[in-house]
């Protein structure tokens, strides 16, 4: 009896040749140089050095992705670096500008806070009802104005879907790094209903933001306030807010990722992640499971850092809506049954080409958002060393 | 003729204040509606009870405030106290609602039975009535505006009429909420609605306690 070739396990593909890998990396090198050494801008030596280190770092990681044909571990190096360097650069800037990490309410009202993408879903209803932006940041600034940033975010999101959460978000890296520390998860049985919690946080925060006319998530629940800018506590209420931030950070970003080896804040809490999930329906890139090739060993379930696979979804041949396109399941599948896929094509249609197309878009975004933050963090460290 | 003019004024005030009313009631109304039966009719019934109870809350407050002469001059301290109590009660009702939804689906948790989280029809009606009454007593900005205008009326009857017509104007904005009944109900939607109710309840609880503590919490 003839055996269908697709039911046979595939050998892991050999590394790509160095020449080909360099050629494929060339566009990313050019993009990195354009981002960090744009002509006409005057930069200090520290900025030039940090830009060069970042360009080299991002280009090398992309080269390794091309050479090894694996995605996750190289992306993780970038993502953890981003997560660690973001607070360093951010806190330094805030302290230089303001003298403290604490932000008083009048500063927020005056719009003297840096842009953050987290409140974007909470802006929509108040803006629709009253044409008012409740975001406590500057709208007028030409280069970093909210309108421009929201526009860039929307354009990228339509292409990448929830890939934003693996290649651009500057918050998820710390927990991904912590989750990588233990060899095995201490807690393995996780209640699947917790996957719904980010949607509940999103619903509650969108409604409360409309009722209160303030970004309720930033005021009450953002765990990353603990490592960015906290509320200047002038009364008991302010103190309670800061205690909530610290407890959420300690629990969701440090303790639970260590115990579960999952990105628990992203999987169980982040309302922006839930919001981004909606765009996975629109994005042309997705991760699919070839049902003919898959013998459900469920290795992918354990590997997924975001709980975006379930037995049922594997049986259906797809990831859950919350998939962040990090590539962990693709890299770990022993039968090469999980593939990068472009919607509208056959599932087995050139998955490596689909991966390349996705990675060019994702890495360009990573350099634009994450790269500049990494360069800022390196510049801050150099500032203290030199 | 003056009564006709004041009714016109009340309805226009209600119509323009509608979005603010939706904003104030949204965190309570939306999750509780999403946790209800699917369908146009159950939602219309739920919304009717909610709005009727909200009207009752308006009237109750108006009568008491008129009698005490406080309709337009409720001082900040007692206002904070009243809102604190209302917020704590709202939190209690929302928590009970989320909990009872879980209890009623605990046994037949399979397929479409799960959708019918409230076999006991009184659950939805009682919850809607309690939430509507408390949102009626909540001193949201449109309510305060109407209160100040009603206080200038010559008699309590005229003030109540003003409130009632104002209520009608705002209520038109609530009609689209019936459309939530068309959203597909499955385990995910109901679980999300219940979790959101708990989060919103915790927010109201903490704000309510802060308001009751007053100066100790706010420092001024």
């Amino acid at each position: 009896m003839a055996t269908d070739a697709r039911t046979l396990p595939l050998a892991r593909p050999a590394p790509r040749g160095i020449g080909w890998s360099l050629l494929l990396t060339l566009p990313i090198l050019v993009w990195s140089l354009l981002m960090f050494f744009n002509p006409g801008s005057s930069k200090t030596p520290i900025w030039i050095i940090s830009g060069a280190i970042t360009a080299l770092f991002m280009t090398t990681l992309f080269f390794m992705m091309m050479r090894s044909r694996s995605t996750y571990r190289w992306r993780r190096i970038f993502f953890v670096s981003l997560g660690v360097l973001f607070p360093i650069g951010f806190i330094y800037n805030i302290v230089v500008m303001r003298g403290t990490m604490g932000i008083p309410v009048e500063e927020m009202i005056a719009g003297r806070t840096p842009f953050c993408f987290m409140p974007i879903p909470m802006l929509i209803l108040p803006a629709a009802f009253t044409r008012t932006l409740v975001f406590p940041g500057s709208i007028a600034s030409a280069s970093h104005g909210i309108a421009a940033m929201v526009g860039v975010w929307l354009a990228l999101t339509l292409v990448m879907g929830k890939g934003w959460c693996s290649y651009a978000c500057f918050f998820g890296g710390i927990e991904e790094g912590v989750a990588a520390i233990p060899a095995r998860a201490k807690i393995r049985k996780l209640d699947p209903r917790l996957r719904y919690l980010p949607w509940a946080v999103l619903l509650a925060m969108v409604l409360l933001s409309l009722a209160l006319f303030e970004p309720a998530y930033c005021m009450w629940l953002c765990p990353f306030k603990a490592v960015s800018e906290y509320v200047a506590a002038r009364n008991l209420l302010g103190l309670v807010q800061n205690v909530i931030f610290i407890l959420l950070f300690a629990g969701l970003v440090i303790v639970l990722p260590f115990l579960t080896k999952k990105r628990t804040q992203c999987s169980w809490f982040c309302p922006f992640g839930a919001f981004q999930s909606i765009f996975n329906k629109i994005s042309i890139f997705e991760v699919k499971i070839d049902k003919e090739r898959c013998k459900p060993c469920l290795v992918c379930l354990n590997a997924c850092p975001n709980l975006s696979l379930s037995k049922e979804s594997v049986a259906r041949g797809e990831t859950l809506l919350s998939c962040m396109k990090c590539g962990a399941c693709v890299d770990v599948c022993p039968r090469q049954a999980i593939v990068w896929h472009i919607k509208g094509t056959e599932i087995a249609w050139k998955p490596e080409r689909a991966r390349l197309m996705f990675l060019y878009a994702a890495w360009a975004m990573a350099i634009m958002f994450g790269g500049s933050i990494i360069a800022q963090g390196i510049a801050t460290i150099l500032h203290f060393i030199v | 003729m003056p009564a006709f003019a004041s009714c016109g004024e009340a309805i226009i005030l209600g119509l323009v204040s509608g979005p603010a009313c939706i904003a104030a009631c949204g965190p309570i109304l939306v999750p509780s509606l999403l946790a209800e039966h699917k369908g146009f009719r159950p939602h219309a019934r739920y919304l009717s009870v909610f709005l009727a109870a909200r009207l009752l809350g308006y009237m109750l407050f108006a009568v008491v405030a008129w009698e005490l002469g406080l309709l337009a001059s409720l001082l900040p301290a007692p206002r904070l106290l009243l809102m604190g109590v209302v917020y704590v009660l709202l939190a209690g009702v929302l928590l009970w609602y989320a909990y009872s939804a879980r209890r009623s689906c605990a046994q037949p948790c399979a397929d479409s039975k799960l959708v019918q989280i409230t076999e006991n029809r009184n659950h939805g009606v009682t919850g809607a009535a309690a939430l509507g009454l408390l949102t009626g007593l909540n001193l949201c900005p449109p309510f305060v505006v109407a209160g100040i205008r009603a206080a200038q009326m010559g008699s309590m009857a005229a003030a109540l009429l003003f409130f009632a017509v104002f209520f009608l104007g705002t209520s038109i904005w609530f009609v689209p909420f019936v459309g939530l009944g068309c959203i597909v109900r499955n385990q995910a939607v109901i679980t999300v609605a219940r979790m959101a109710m708990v989060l919103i309840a915790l927010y109201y609880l903490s704000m309510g306690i802060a308001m009751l503590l007053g100066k100790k919490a706010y420092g001024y």
Side-chain angles (χ1 to χ4, degrees):
Chain A
M1 194 172 72
T3 309
D4 185 347
R6 285 176 65 191
T7 61
L8 292 171
L10 292 178
R12 191 153 286 283
R16 191 178 265 121
I18 290 176
W20 262 113
S21 302
L22 281 172
L23 198 63
L24 289 169
T25 308
L26 197 61
I28 291 297
L29 175 67
V30 173
W31 178 244
S32 297
L33 294 174
L34 279 172
M35 284 302 296
F36 299 112
F37 300 98
N38 50 332
S41 64
S42 56
K43 301 223 159 136
T44 61
I46 282 182
W47 265 107
I48 291 169
I49 295 166
S50 64
I53 293 171
T54 309
L56 184 67
F57 177 68
M58 298 300 287
T59 309
T60 306
L61 288 178
F62 193 83
F63 171 79
M64 292 311 296
M65 282 184 186
M66 295 300 103
R67 173 105 169 109
S68 66
R69 295 177 194 265
S70 66
T71 310
Y72 180 70
R73 62 179 143 156
W74 308 112
R75 186 208 60 85
R76 188 167 67 182
I77 293 171
F78 150 73
F79 203 59
V80 174
S81 308
L82 173 62
V84 172
L85 288 168
F86 165 68
I88 294 172
F90 186 88
I91 291 170
Y92 175 74
N93 268 350
I94 287 288
V95 171
V96 165
M97 278 195 309
R98 204 183 286 146
T100 170
M101 272 173 75
I103 177 164
V105 174
E106 58 267 21
E107 288 276 303
M108 292 176 84
I109 293 168
R112 286 192 282 268
T113 53
F115 174 80
C116 173
F117 52 81
M118 280 285 183
I120 287 175
M122 289 149 236
L123 303 178
I124 295 169
L125 284 181
F129 274 95
T130 64
R131 296 183 186 177
T132 307
L133 282 178
V134 297
F135 180 76
S138 173
I139 304 170
S141 167
S143 58
H144 298 290
I146 290 176
M149 296 301 277
V150 169
V152 171
W153 158 80
L154 187 61
L156 291 169
T157 295
L158 289 175
V159 178
M160 305 292 302
K162 212 188 169 188
W164 174 281
C165 300
S166 281
Y167 296 85
C169 175
F170 37 80
F171 291 128
I174 299 175
E175 57 189 287
E176 185 150 13
V178 174
I181 294 170
R184 284 168 185 273
K186 309 275 188 301
I187 300 173
R188 284 168 176 270
K189 198 169 183 180
L190 306 171
D191 191 334
R193 283 176 302 182
L194 287 168
R195 287 195 189 105
Y196 301 133
L197 193 51
W199 294 94
V201 177
L202 176 66
L203 179 63
M205 291 304 117
V206 165
L207 292 170
L208 283 175
S209 297
L210 181 61
L212 308 169
F213 250 68
E214 64 180 24
Y217 183 76
C218 312
M219 300 296 287
W220 288 97
L221 290 180
C222 179
F224 295 97
K225 289 278 179 198
V227 287
S228 55
E229 49 180 0
Y230 54 80
V231 177
R234 292 169 172 167
N235 51 29
L236 182 62
L237 214 57
L239 188 67
V240 170
Q241 283 172 296
N242 287 326
V243 169
I244 293 172
F245 298 147
I246 292 166
L247 287 178
L248 285 172
F249 183 82
L252 290 167
V253 183
I254 306 292
V255 177
L256 282 171
F258 187 82
L259 295 174
T260 60
K261 279 188 77 66
K262 303 287 178 194
R263 284 170 64 176
T264 46
Q265 192 275 146
C266 306
S267 313
W268 293 344
F269 197 72
C270 179
F272 188 79
F275 186 62
Q276 286 293 110
S277 300
I278 300 166
F279 294 95
N280 264 354
K281 287 279 184 193
I282 303 167
S283 163
I284 57 163
F285 298 109
E286 62 183 350
V287 173
K288 289 286 271 186
I289 301 162
D290 189 338
K291 287 192 277 186
E292 289 179 39
R293 190 170 283 160
C294 175
K295 299 283 180 197
C297 60
L298 303 180
V299 171
C300 50
L301 252 75
N302 289 329
C304 178
N306 195 44
L307 304 164
S308 295
L309 286 163
S310 64
K311 285 179 186 173
E312 296 77 22
S313 76
V314 171
R316 287 197 305 271
E318 58 191 23
T319 60
L320 295 173
L321 193 62
S322 58
C323 175
M324 298 191 295
K325 301 168 189 175
C326 66
C329 56
V330 180
D331 290 352
V332 83
C333 180
R335 297 178 63 85
Q336 320 296 304
I338 308 181
V339 290
W340 297 92
H341 180 245
I342 296 172
K343 283 178 188 166
T345 62
E346 287 281 319
I347 188 162
W349 183 82
K350 299 180 179 172
E352 181 61 14
R353 185 171 294 181
R355 173 178 172 263
L356 278 178
M357 287 172 71
F358 171 77
L359 277 181
Y360 275 125
W363 212 246
M365 179 173 74
I367 290 168
M368 196 163 75
F369 280 91
S372 56
I373 291 168
I374 287 174
Q376 169 80 50
I378 294 171
T380 305
I381 293 168
L382 288 175
H383 178 80
F384 283 110
I385 294 172
V386 180
Chain B
M1 202 59 188
F4 182 76
S6 70
C7 281
E9 186 189 340
I11 197 142
I12 289 170
L13 188 62
L15 283 170
V16 296
S17 305
C21 287
I22 288 178
C25 295
I28 293 145
L29 192 55
V30 173
S32 56
L33 272 173
L34 285 173
E36 275 297 313
H37 289 278
K38 185 196 172 190
F40 187 81
R41 200 173 287 178
H43 274 219
R45 192 179 65 230
Y46 183 95
L47 202 61
S48 307
V49 174
F50 178 88
L51 290 175
R54 184 165 152 264
L55 176 64
L56 186 68
Y58 269 33
M59 294 302 179
L60 204 65
F61 179 83
V63 169
V64 173
W66 182 277
E67 285 297 321
L68 296 174
L70 296 171
L71 200 54
S73 58
L74 196 57
L75 292 169
R79 195 167 63 201
L80 208 62
L81 202 67
L82 175 67
M83 285 183 72
V85 172
V86 170
Y87 272 23
V88 171
L89 290 173
L90 266 174
V93 175
L94 280 171
L95 285 173
W96 164 75
Y97 209 101
Y99 175 72
S100 59
R102 176 175 174 246
R103 274 172 67 89
S104 47
C105 83
Q107 290 177 355
C109 271
D111 300 326
S112 60
K113 273 286 178 187
L114 180 67
V115 175
Q116 298 168 8
I117 60 164
T118 50
E119 285 299 321
N120 176 11
R121 280 168 182 259
N122 289 330
H123 165 263
V125 172
T126 320
L131 292 173
L133 184 70
L134 289 169
T135 50
L137 292 172
N138 187 9
L139 295 177
C140 64
F143 184 86
V144 173
V145 171
I148 290 168
R149 192 68 191 90
Q152 295 164 351
M153 300 287 149
S155 66
M156 190 205 281
L160 287 177
L161 181 67
F162 187 89
F163 258 117
V165 177
F166 167 78
F167 166 84
L168 279 179
T170 61
S171 296
I172 292 166
W173 286 88
F174 284 80
V175 174
F177 279 109
V178 180
L180 285 174
C182 303
I183 292 177
V184 175
R185 288 297 185 285
N186 54 32
Q187 189 185 2
V189 172
I190 292 167
T191 307
V192 166
R194 279 180 36 226
M195 286 174 167
M197 266 193 266
V198 172
L199 286 169
I200 291 165
L202 290 176
Y203 170 77
Y204 280 121
L205 187 66
S206 56
M207 290 311 293
I209 292 170
M211 285 170 181
L212 291 176
L213 288 173
K215 198 177 174 183
K216 284 179 192 162
Y218 292 102
Y220 53 84

